[in-house]
PDB file of all heavy atoms in Angstrom:
ATOM      1  N   ASP A   2       6.262   2.728 -15.203  1.00 98.00           N
ATOM      2  CA  ASP A   2       5.789   3.651 -14.204  1.00 98.00           C
ATOM      3  C   ASP A   2       4.541   3.044 -13.474  1.00 98.00           C
ATOM      4  O   ASP A   2       3.670   3.798 -12.955  1.00 98.00           O
ATOM      5  CB  ASP A   2       5.448   5.021 -14.812  1.00 98.00           C
ATOM      6  CG  ASP A   2       4.292   5.024 -15.825  1.00 98.00           C
ATOM      7  OD1 ASP A   2       3.783   3.900 -16.106  1.00 98.00           O
ATOM      8  OD2 ASP A   2       3.954   6.063 -16.333  1.00 98.00           O
ATOM      9  N   ALA A   3       4.517   1.752 -13.346  1.00 98.00           N
ATOM     10  CA  ALA A   3       3.452   1.062 -12.597  1.00 98.00           C
ATOM     11  C   ALA A   3       4.098  -0.053 -11.779  1.00 98.00           C
ATOM     12  O   ALA A   3       4.640  -1.027 -12.328  1.00 98.00           O
ATOM     13  CB  ALA A   3       2.404   0.445 -13.547  1.00 98.00           C
ATOM     14  N   TYR A   4       4.117   0.109 -10.430  1.00 98.00           N
ATOM     15  CA  TYR A   4       4.745  -0.854  -9.529  1.00 98.00           C
ATOM     16  C   TYR A   4       4.222  -0.643  -8.130  1.00 98.00           C
ATOM     17  O   TYR A   4       3.635   0.385  -7.787  1.00 98.00           O
ATOM     18  CB  TYR A   4       6.250  -0.761  -9.585  1.00 98.00           C
ATOM     19  CG  TYR A   4       6.768   0.653  -9.695  1.00 98.00           C
ATOM     20  CD1 TYR A   4       6.793   1.519  -8.609  1.00 98.00           C
ATOM     21  CD2 TYR A   4       7.255   1.150 -10.916  1.00 98.00           C
ATOM     22  CE1 TYR A   4       7.228   2.847  -8.742  1.00 98.00           C
ATOM     23  CE2 TYR A   4       7.700   2.426 -11.058  1.00 98.00           C
ATOM     24  CZ  TYR A   4       7.719   3.275  -9.982  1.00 98.00           C
ATOM     25  OH  TYR A   4       8.130   4.564 -10.118  1.00 98.00           O
ATOM     26  N   ARG A   5       4.434  -1.630  -7.298  1.00 98.00           N
ATOM     27  CA  ARG A   5       4.029  -1.537  -5.868  1.00 98.00           C
ATOM     28  C   ARG A   5       5.207  -0.945  -5.107  1.00 98.00           C
ATOM     29  O   ARG A   5       6.286  -1.495  -5.075  1.00 98.00           O
ATOM     30  CB  ARG A   5       3.633  -2.925  -5.367  1.00 98.00           C
ATOM     31  CG  ARG A   5       3.156  -2.889  -3.928  1.00 98.00           C
ATOM     32  CD  ARG A   5       2.371  -4.150  -3.575  1.00 98.00           C
ATOM     33  NE  ARG A   5       1.081  -4.165  -4.243  1.00 98.00           N
ATOM     34  CZ  ARG A   5       0.070  -4.973  -3.908  1.00 98.00           C
ATOM     35  NH1 ARG A   5       0.212  -5.892  -2.894  1.00 98.00           N
ATOM     36  NH2 ARG A   5      -1.115  -4.908  -4.512  1.00 98.00           N
ATOM     37  N   LEU A   6       4.900   0.176  -4.442  1.00 98.00           N
ATOM     38  CA  LEU A   6       5.942   0.838  -3.672  1.00 98.00           C
ATOM     39  C   LEU A   6       6.044   0.326  -2.252  1.00 98.00           C
ATOM     40  O   LEU A   6       7.135   0.364  -1.623  1.00 98.00           O
ATOM     41  CB  LEU A   6       5.590   2.346  -3.614  1.00 98.00           C
ATOM     42  CG  LEU A   6       5.923   3.176  -4.855  1.00 98.00           C
ATOM     43  CD1 LEU A   6       5.322   4.563  -4.716  1.00 98.00           C
ATOM     44  CD2 LEU A   6       7.421   3.296  -5.044  1.00 98.00           C
ATOM     45  N   PHE A   7       4.926  -0.156  -1.675  1.00 98.00           N
ATOM     46  CA  PHE A   7       4.952  -0.630  -0.335  1.00 98.00           C
ATOM     47  C   PHE A   7       4.041  -1.799  -0.207  1.00 98.00           C
ATOM     48  O   PHE A   7       2.874  -1.759  -0.630  1.00 98.00           O
ATOM     49  CB  PHE A   7       4.494   0.505   0.616  1.00 98.00           C
ATOM     50  CG  PHE A   7       4.780   0.232   2.063  1.00 98.00           C
ATOM     51  CD1 PHE A   7       5.975   0.618   2.624  1.00 98.00           C
ATOM     52  CD2 PHE A   7       3.833  -0.403   2.874  1.00 98.00           C
ATOM     53  CE1 PHE A   7       6.282   0.356   3.957  1.00 98.00           C
ATOM     54  CE2 PHE A   7       4.148  -0.660   4.202  1.00 98.00           C
ATOM     55  CZ  PHE A   7       5.338  -0.279   4.735  1.00 98.00           C
ATOM     56  N   HIS A   8       4.525  -2.939   0.332  1.00 98.00           N
ATOM     57  CA  HIS A   8       3.811  -4.185   0.308  1.00 98.00           C
ATOM     58  C   HIS A   8       3.511  -4.697   1.731  1.00 98.00           C
ATOM     59  O   HIS A   8       3.996  -5.743   2.134  1.00 98.00           O
ATOM     60  CB  HIS A   8       4.626  -5.221  -0.511  1.00 98.00           C
ATOM     61  CG  HIS A   8       3.856  -6.523  -0.737  1.00 98.00           C
ATOM     62  ND1 HIS A   8       2.582  -6.555  -1.301  1.00 98.00           N
ATOM     63  CD2 HIS A   8       4.197  -7.807  -0.471  1.00 98.00           C
ATOM     64  CE1 HIS A   8       2.198  -7.826  -1.377  1.00 98.00           C
ATOM     65  NE2 HIS A   8       3.168  -8.598  -0.855  1.00 98.00           N
ATOM     66  N   GLY A   9       2.765  -3.932   2.464  1.00 96.00           N
ATOM     67  CA  GLY A   9       2.235  -4.389   3.703  1.00 96.00           C
ATOM     68  C   GLY A   9       3.278  -4.886   4.712  1.00 96.00           C
ATOM     69  O   GLY A   9       4.321  -4.294   4.925  1.00 96.00           O
ATOM     70  N   GLU A  10       2.947  -6.040   5.293  1.00 95.00           N
ATOM     71  CA  GLU A  10       3.771  -6.550   6.395  1.00 95.00           C
ATOM     72  C   GLU A  10       5.184  -6.852   5.983  1.00 95.00           C
ATOM     73  O   GLU A  10       6.131  -6.740   6.743  1.00 95.00           O
ATOM     74  CB  GLU A  10       3.129  -7.852   6.932  1.00 95.00           C
ATOM     75  CG  GLU A  10       3.770  -8.367   8.197  1.00 95.00           C
ATOM     76  CD  GLU A  10       2.995  -9.473   8.829  1.00 95.00           C
ATOM     77  OE1 GLU A  10       1.916  -9.827   8.298  1.00 95.00           O
ATOM     78  OE2 GLU A  10       3.456 -10.037   9.846  1.00 95.00           O
ATOM     79  N   SER A  11       5.379  -7.272   4.709  1.00 96.00           N
ATOM     80  CA  SER A  11       6.747  -7.563   4.243  1.00 96.00           C
ATOM     81  C   SER A  11       7.636  -6.316   4.215  1.00 96.00           C
ATOM     82  O   SER A  11       8.839  -6.411   4.281  1.00 96.00           O
ATOM     83  CB  SER A  11       6.735  -8.237   2.879  1.00 96.00           C
ATOM     84  OG  SER A  11       6.222  -7.324   1.908  1.00 96.00           O
ATOM     85  N   ASP A  12       7.013  -5.125   4.210  1.00 97.00           N
ATOM     86  CA  ASP A  12       7.762  -3.878   4.302  1.00 97.00           C
ATOM     87  C   ASP A  12       7.594  -3.226   5.656  1.00 97.00           C
ATOM     88  O   ASP A  12       8.044  -2.098   5.875  1.00 97.00           O
ATOM     89  CB  ASP A  12       7.331  -2.920   3.177  1.00 97.00           C
ATOM     90  CG  ASP A  12       7.929  -3.245   1.861  1.00 97.00           C
ATOM     91  OD1 ASP A  12       9.143  -3.599   1.827  1.00 97.00           O
ATOM     92  OD2 ASP A  12       7.193  -3.171   0.838  1.00 97.00           O
ATOM     93  N   GLY A  13       6.999  -3.954   6.627  1.00 95.00           N
ATOM     94  CA  GLY A  13       7.003  -3.471   8.005  1.00 95.00           C
ATOM     95  C   GLY A  13       5.716  -2.898   8.535  1.00 95.00           C
ATOM     96  O   GLY A  13       5.676  -2.486   9.683  1.00 95.00           O
ATOM     97  N   VAL A  14       4.653  -2.820   7.722  1.00 95.00           N
ATOM     98  CA  VAL A  14       3.371  -2.260   8.188  1.00 95.00           C
ATOM     99  C   VAL A  14       2.248  -3.152   7.628  1.00 95.00           C
ATOM    100  O   VAL A  14       1.916  -3.069   6.431  1.00 95.00           O
ATOM    101  CB  VAL A  14       3.176  -0.813   7.734  1.00 95.00           C
ATOM    102  CG1 VAL A  14       1.855  -0.277   8.282  1.00 95.00           C
ATOM    103  CG2 VAL A  14       4.307   0.079   8.205  1.00 95.00           C
ATOM    104  N   SER A  15       1.664  -3.945   8.452  1.00 95.00           N
ATOM    105  CA  SER A  15       0.602  -4.846   7.941  1.00 95.00           C
ATOM    106  C   SER A  15      -0.659  -4.059   7.598  1.00 95.00           C
ATOM    107  O   SER A  15      -0.962  -3.044   8.196  1.00 95.00           O
ATOM    108  CB  SER A  15       0.233  -5.888   9.028  1.00 95.00           C
ATOM    109  OG  SER A  15      -0.224  -5.277  10.174  1.00 95.00           O
ATOM    110  N   GLY A  16      -1.293  -4.493   6.542  1.00 95.00           N
ATOM    111  CA  GLY A  16      -2.584  -3.970   6.158  1.00 95.00           C
ATOM    112  C   GLY A  16      -2.550  -2.715   5.281  1.00 95.00           C
ATOM    113  O   GLY A  16      -3.605  -2.191   4.915  1.00 95.00           O
ATOM    114  N   MET A  17      -1.368  -2.241   4.922  1.00 97.00           N
ATOM    115  CA  MET A  17      -1.272  -1.059   4.058  1.00 97.00           C
ATOM    116  C   MET A  17      -0.442  -1.337   2.838  1.00 97.00           C
ATOM    117  O   MET A  17       0.668  -1.888   2.929  1.00 97.00           O
ATOM    118  CB  MET A  17      -0.648   0.115   4.801  1.00 97.00           C
ATOM    119  CG  MET A  17      -0.689   1.392   3.976  1.00 97.00           C
ATOM    120  SD  MET A  17      -0.039   2.854   4.857  1.00 97.00           S
ATOM    121  CE  MET A  17       1.724   2.551   4.742  1.00 97.00           C
ATOM    122  N   VAL A  18      -0.947  -0.957   1.671  1.00 98.00           N
ATOM    123  CA  VAL A  18      -0.320  -1.165   0.398  1.00 98.00           C
ATOM    124  C   VAL A  18      -0.310   0.156  -0.355  1.00 98.00           C
ATOM    125  O   VAL A  18      -1.307   0.841  -0.309  1.00 98.00           O
ATOM    126  CB  VAL A  18      -0.980  -2.235  -0.446  1.00 98.00           C
ATOM    127  CG1 VAL A  18      -0.507  -2.297  -1.880  1.00 98.00           C
ATOM    128  CG2 VAL A  18      -0.854  -3.633   0.233  1.00 98.00           C
ATOM    129  N   ILE A  19       0.806   0.473  -1.032  1.00 98.00           N
ATOM    130  CA  ILE A  19       0.888   1.712  -1.804  1.00 98.00           C
ATOM    131  C   ILE A  19       1.415   1.348  -3.184  1.00 98.00           C
ATOM    132  O   ILE A  19       2.458   0.668  -3.311  1.00 98.00           O
ATOM    133  CB  ILE A  19       1.802   2.757  -1.183  1.00 98.00           C
ATOM    134  CG1 ILE A  19       1.360   3.045   0.260  1.00 98.00           C
ATOM    135  CG2 ILE A  19       1.798   4.042  -2.016  1.00 98.00           C
ATOM    136  CD1 ILE A  19       2.359   3.974   1.049  1.00 98.00           C
ATOM    137  N   GLU A  20       0.698   1.751  -4.215  1.00 98.00           N
ATOM    138  CA  GLU A  20       1.095   1.488  -5.581  1.00 98.00           C
ATOM    139  C   GLU A  20       1.205   2.758  -6.378  1.00 98.00           C
ATOM    140  O   GLU A  20       0.398   3.670  -6.185  1.00 98.00           O
ATOM    141  CB  GLU A  20       0.098   0.533  -6.252  1.00 98.00           C
ATOM    142  CG  GLU A  20       0.071  -0.843  -5.608  1.00 98.00           C
ATOM    143  CD  GLU A  20      -0.954  -1.757  -6.166  1.00 98.00           C
ATOM    144  OE1 GLU A  20      -2.011  -1.274  -6.632  1.00 98.00           O
ATOM    145  OE2 GLU A  20      -0.751  -2.976  -6.161  1.00 98.00           O
ATOM    146  N   ARG A  21       2.177   2.840  -7.242  1.00 98.00           N
ATOM    147  CA  ARG A  21       2.285   3.959  -8.159  1.00 98.00           C
ATOM    148  C   ARG A  21       1.781   3.543  -9.516  1.00 98.00           C
ATOM    149  O   ARG A  21       2.191   2.536 -10.084  1.00 98.00           O
ATOM    150  CB  ARG A  21       3.727   4.416  -8.293  1.00 98.00           C
ATOM    151  CG  ARG A  21       3.791   5.707  -9.105  1.00 98.00           C
ATOM    152  CD  ARG A  21       4.968   5.805 -10.036  1.00 98.00           C
ATOM    153  NE  ARG A  21       4.857   6.990 -10.882  1.00 98.00           N
ATOM    154  CZ  ARG A  21       5.916   7.473 -11.553  1.00 98.00           C
ATOM    155  NH1 ARG A  21       7.070   6.919 -11.414  1.00 98.00           N
ATOM    156  NH2 ARG A  21       5.739   8.524 -12.340  1.00 98.00           N
ATOM    157  N   LEU A  22       0.866   4.321 -10.049  1.00 98.00           N
ATOM    158  CA  LEU A  22       0.356   4.113 -11.399  1.00 98.00           C
ATOM    159  C   LEU A  22       0.414   5.414 -12.180  1.00 98.00           C
ATOM    160  O   LEU A  22      -0.510   6.218 -12.186  1.00 98.00           O
ATOM    161  CB  LEU A  22      -1.145   3.636 -11.258  1.00 98.00           C
ATOM    162  CG  LEU A  22      -1.309   2.288 -10.571  1.00 98.00           C
ATOM    163  CD1 LEU A  22      -2.711   2.122 -10.053  1.00 98.00           C
ATOM    164  CD2 LEU A  22      -0.927   1.143 -11.486  1.00 98.00           C
ATOM    165  N   GLY A  23       1.571   5.609 -12.770  1.00 98.00           N
ATOM    166  CA  GLY A  23       1.725   6.855 -13.529  1.00 98.00           C
ATOM    167  C   GLY A  23       1.580   8.068 -12.644  1.00 98.00           C
ATOM    168  O   GLY A  23       2.287   8.241 -11.681  1.00 98.00           O
ATOM    169  N   PRO A  24       0.553   8.916 -12.945  1.00 98.00           N
ATOM    170  CA  PRO A  24       0.330  10.139 -12.227  1.00 98.00           C
ATOM    171  C   PRO A  24      -0.423  10.031 -10.928  1.00 98.00           C
ATOM    172  O   PRO A  24      -0.767  11.080 -10.315  1.00 98.00           O
ATOM    173  CB  PRO A  24      -0.421  10.998 -13.194  1.00 98.00           C
ATOM    174  CG  PRO A  24      -1.260  10.045 -13.979  1.00 98.00           C
ATOM    175  CD  PRO A  24      -0.393   8.809 -14.086  1.00 98.00           C
ATOM    176  N   VAL A  25      -0.732   8.779 -10.489  1.00 98.00           N
ATOM    177  CA  VAL A  25      -1.451   8.615  -9.232  1.00 98.00           C
ATOM    178  C   VAL A  25      -0.852   7.575  -8.329  1.00 98.00           C
ATOM    179  O   VAL A  25      -0.082   6.726  -8.790  1.00 98.00           O
ATOM    180  CB  VAL A  25      -2.956   8.228  -9.488  1.00 98.00           C
ATOM    181  CG1 VAL A  25      -3.619   9.200 -10.423  1.00 98.00           C
ATOM    182  CG2 VAL A  25      -3.043   6.823  -9.990  1.00 98.00           C
ATOM    183  N   LEU A  26      -1.167   7.653  -7.049  1.00 98.00           N
ATOM    184  CA  LEU A  26      -0.879   6.643  -6.065  1.00 98.00           C
ATOM    185  C   LEU A  26      -2.232   6.002  -5.687  1.00 98.00           C
ATOM    186  O   LEU A  26      -3.191   6.683  -5.549  1.00 98.00           O
ATOM    187  CB  LEU A  26      -0.210   7.162  -4.812  1.00 98.00           C
ATOM    188  CG  LEU A  26       1.165   7.830  -4.963  1.00 98.00           C
ATOM    189  CD1 LEU A  26       1.656   8.303  -3.616  1.00 98.00           C
ATOM    190  CD2 LEU A  26       2.170   6.875  -5.628  1.00 98.00           C
ATOM    191  N   ILE A  27      -2.213   4.672  -5.520  1.00 98.00           N
ATOM    192  CA  ILE A  27      -3.375   3.936  -4.963  1.00 98.00           C
ATOM    193  C   ILE A  27      -2.896   3.428  -3.579  1.00 98.00           C
ATOM    194  O   ILE A  27      -1.908   2.724  -3.491  1.00 98.00           O
ATOM    195  CB  ILE A  27      -3.766   2.773  -5.871  1.00 98.00           C
ATOM    196  CG1 ILE A  27      -4.193   3.255  -7.239  1.00 98.00           C
ATOM    197  CG2 ILE A  27      -4.920   2.007  -5.166  1.00 98.00           C
ATOM    198  CD1 ILE A  27      -5.479   4.115  -7.294  1.00 98.00           C
ATOM    199  N   VAL A  28      -3.636   3.846  -2.553  1.00 98.00           N
ATOM    200  CA  VAL A  28      -3.275   3.410  -1.203  1.00 98.00           C
ATOM    201  C   VAL A  28      -4.409   2.487  -0.692  1.00 98.00           C
ATOM    202  O   VAL A  28      -5.568   2.870  -0.598  1.00 98.00           O
ATOM    203  CB  VAL A  28      -3.143   4.630  -0.286  1.00 98.00           C
ATOM    204  CG1 VAL A  28      -2.622   4.176   1.112  1.00 98.00           C
ATOM    205  CG2 VAL A  28      -2.207   5.651  -0.862  1.00 98.00           C
ATOM    206  N   GLN A  29      -4.040   1.283  -0.356  1.00 96.00           N
ATOM    207  CA  GLN A  29      -4.954   0.252   0.126  1.00 96.00           C
ATOM    208  C   GLN A  29      -4.895   0.165   1.636  1.00 96.00           C
ATOM    209  O   GLN A  29      -3.791   0.037   2.201  1.00 96.00           O
ATOM    210  CB  GLN A  29      -4.716  -1.115  -0.486  1.00 96.00           C
ATOM    211  CG  GLN A  29      -4.811  -1.133  -1.984  1.00 96.00           C
ATOM    212  CD  GLN A  29      -4.450  -2.553  -2.513  1.00 96.00           C
ATOM    213  OE1 GLN A  29      -4.394  -3.520  -1.757  1.00 96.00           O
ATOM    214  NE2 GLN A  29      -4.201  -2.623  -3.807  1.00 96.00           N
ATOM    215  N   PHE A  30      -6.032   0.166   2.319  1.00 95.00           N
ATOM    216  CA  PHE A  30      -6.119  -0.066   3.725  1.00 95.00           C
ATOM    217  C   PHE A  30      -7.000  -1.336   3.950  1.00 95.00           C
ATOM    218  O   PHE A  30      -8.174  -1.351   3.569  1.00 95.00           O
ATOM    219  CB  PHE A  30      -6.712   1.109   4.490  1.00 95.00           C
ATOM    220  CG  PHE A  30      -5.913   2.370   4.368  1.00 95.00           C
ATOM    221  CD1 PHE A  30      -6.321   3.427   3.544  1.00 95.00           C
ATOM    222  CD2 PHE A  30      -4.696   2.511   5.058  1.00 95.00           C
ATOM    223  CE1 PHE A  30      -5.550   4.604   3.453  1.00 95.00           C
ATOM    224  CE2 PHE A  30      -3.938   3.662   4.942  1.00 95.00           C
ATOM    225  CZ  PHE A  30      -4.342   4.727   4.152  1.00 95.00           C
ATOM    226  N   HIS A  31      -6.413  -2.360   4.533  1.00 93.00           N
ATOM    227  CA  HIS A  31      -7.100  -3.658   4.663  1.00 93.00           C
ATOM    228  C   HIS A  31      -7.657  -3.860   6.065  1.00 93.00           C
ATOM    229  O   HIS A  31      -6.862  -3.954   7.035  1.00 93.00           O
ATOM    230  CB  HIS A  31      -6.148  -4.788   4.310  1.00 93.00           C
ATOM    231  CG  HIS A  31      -5.785  -4.798   2.827  1.00 93.00           C
ATOM    232  ND1 HIS A  31      -6.425  -5.636   1.940  1.00 93.00           N
ATOM    233  CD2 HIS A  31      -4.905  -4.073   2.118  1.00 93.00           C
ATOM    234  CE1 HIS A  31      -5.907  -5.446   0.721  1.00 93.00           C
ATOM    235  NE2 HIS A  31      -5.011  -4.510   0.798  1.00 93.00           N
ATOM    236  N   GLU A  32      -8.959  -3.980   6.108  1.00 87.00           N
ATOM    237  CA  GLU A  32      -9.624  -4.181   7.400  1.00 87.00           C
ATOM    238  C   GLU A  32      -9.153  -5.456   8.105  1.00 87.00           C
ATOM    239  O   GLU A  32      -8.944  -6.468   7.481  1.00 87.00           O
ATOM    240  CB  GLU A  32     -11.158  -4.283   7.162  1.00 87.00           C
ATOM    241  CG  GLU A  32     -11.993  -4.528   8.389  1.00 87.00           C
ATOM    242  CD  GLU A  32     -13.456  -4.780   8.081  1.00 87.00           C
ATOM    243  OE1 GLU A  32     -13.740  -5.723   7.319  1.00 87.00           O
ATOM    244  OE2 GLU A  32     -14.311  -4.051   8.596  1.00 87.00           O
ATOM    245  N   GLY A  33      -8.985  -5.338   9.416  1.00 86.00           N
ATOM    246  CA  GLY A  33      -8.558  -6.511  10.226  1.00 86.00           C
ATOM    247  C   GLY A  33      -7.115  -6.734  10.304  1.00 86.00           C
ATOM    248  O   GLY A  33      -6.609  -7.426  11.179  1.00 86.00           O
ATOM    249  N   ARG A  34      -6.325  -6.124   9.370  1.00 87.00           N
ATOM    250  CA  ARG A  34      -4.869  -6.317   9.397  1.00 87.00           C
ATOM    251  C   ARG A  34      -4.121  -4.977   9.563  1.00 87.00           C
ATOM    252  O   ARG A  34      -2.918  -4.955   9.670  1.00 87.00           O
ATOM    253  CB  ARG A  34      -4.405  -6.957   8.084  1.00 87.00           C
ATOM    254  CG  ARG A  34      -4.871  -8.366   7.928  1.00 87.00           C
ATOM    255  CD  ARG A  34      -4.208  -9.065   6.705  1.00 87.00           C
ATOM    256  NE  ARG A  34      -4.871  -8.698   5.486  1.00 87.00           N
ATOM    257  CZ  ARG A  34      -4.255  -8.378   4.353  1.00 87.00           C
ATOM    258  NH1 ARG A  34      -2.948  -8.317   4.357  1.00 87.00           N
ATOM    259  NH2 ARG A  34      -4.934  -8.100   3.279  1.00 87.00           N
ATOM    260  N   LEU A  35      -4.853  -3.886   9.581  1.00 88.00           N
ATOM    261  CA  LEU A  35      -4.287  -2.589   9.531  1.00 88.00           C
ATOM    262  C   LEU A  35      -3.569  -2.193  10.815  1.00 88.00           C
ATOM    263  O   LEU A  35      -4.196  -2.279  11.879  1.00 88.00           O
ATOM    264  CB  LEU A  35      -5.329  -1.557   9.161  1.00 88.00           C
ATOM    265  CG  LEU A  35      -4.844  -0.162   8.710  1.00 88.00           C
ATOM    266  CD1 LEU A  35      -3.961  -0.292   7.460  1.00 88.00           C
ATOM    267  CD2 LEU A  35      -6.044   0.731   8.401  1.00 88.00           C
ATOM    268  N   SER A  36      -2.295  -1.835  10.730  1.00 90.00           N
ATOM    269  CA  SER A  36      -1.543  -1.488  11.950  1.00 90.00           C
ATOM    270  C   SER A  36      -1.206   0.014  11.989  1.00 90.00           C
ATOM    271  O   SER A  36      -0.473   0.486  12.891  1.00 90.00           O
ATOM    272  CB  SER A  36      -0.251  -2.297  12.002  1.00 90.00           C
ATOM    273  OG  SER A  36       0.560  -2.055  10.864  1.00 90.00           O
ATOM    274  N   VAL A  37      -1.765   0.770  11.039  1.00 93.00           N
ATOM    275  CA  VAL A  37      -1.578   2.223  11.030  1.00 93.00           C
ATOM    276  C   VAL A  37      -2.859   2.881  10.538  1.00 93.00           C
ATOM    277  O   VAL A  37      -3.565   2.311   9.641  1.00 93.00           O
ATOM    278  CB  VAL A  37      -0.383   2.621  10.150  1.00 93.00           C
ATOM    279  CG1 VAL A  37      -0.611   2.231   8.729  1.00 93.00           C
ATOM    280  CG2 VAL A  37      -0.098   4.139  10.259  1.00 93.00           C
ATOM    281  N   SER A  38      -3.231   4.014  11.099  1.00 93.00           N
ATOM    282  CA  SER A  38      -4.452   4.630  10.627  1.00 93.00           C
ATOM    283  C   SER A  38      -4.224   5.472   9.401  1.00 93.00           C
ATOM    284  O   SER A  38      -3.115   5.932   9.152  1.00 93.00           O
ATOM    285  CB  SER A  38      -4.994   5.543  11.777  1.00 93.00           C
ATOM    286  OG  SER A  38      -4.193   6.721  11.846  1.00 93.00           O
ATOM    287  N   PRO A  39      -5.275   5.661   8.565  1.00 94.00           N
ATOM    288  CA  PRO A  39      -5.116   6.530   7.400  1.00 94.00           C
ATOM    289  C   PRO A  39      -4.626   7.935   7.765  1.00 94.00           C
ATOM    290  O   PRO A  39      -3.812   8.512   7.059  1.00 94.00           O
ATOM    291  CB  PRO A  39      -6.541   6.535   6.838  1.00 94.00           C
ATOM    292  CG  PRO A  39      -7.115   5.204   7.187  1.00 94.00           C
ATOM    293  CD  PRO A  39      -6.565   4.940   8.591  1.00 94.00           C
TER     294      PRO A  39
END
């Protein structure tokens, strides 16, 4: 129950990463590469 759900540009959106960690999601927004707003 721990894996990366969305991997930035390789999944079509640069600068954003989404990970599932059990009961939570961690959403990363990377400065300078981000192509979508929070």
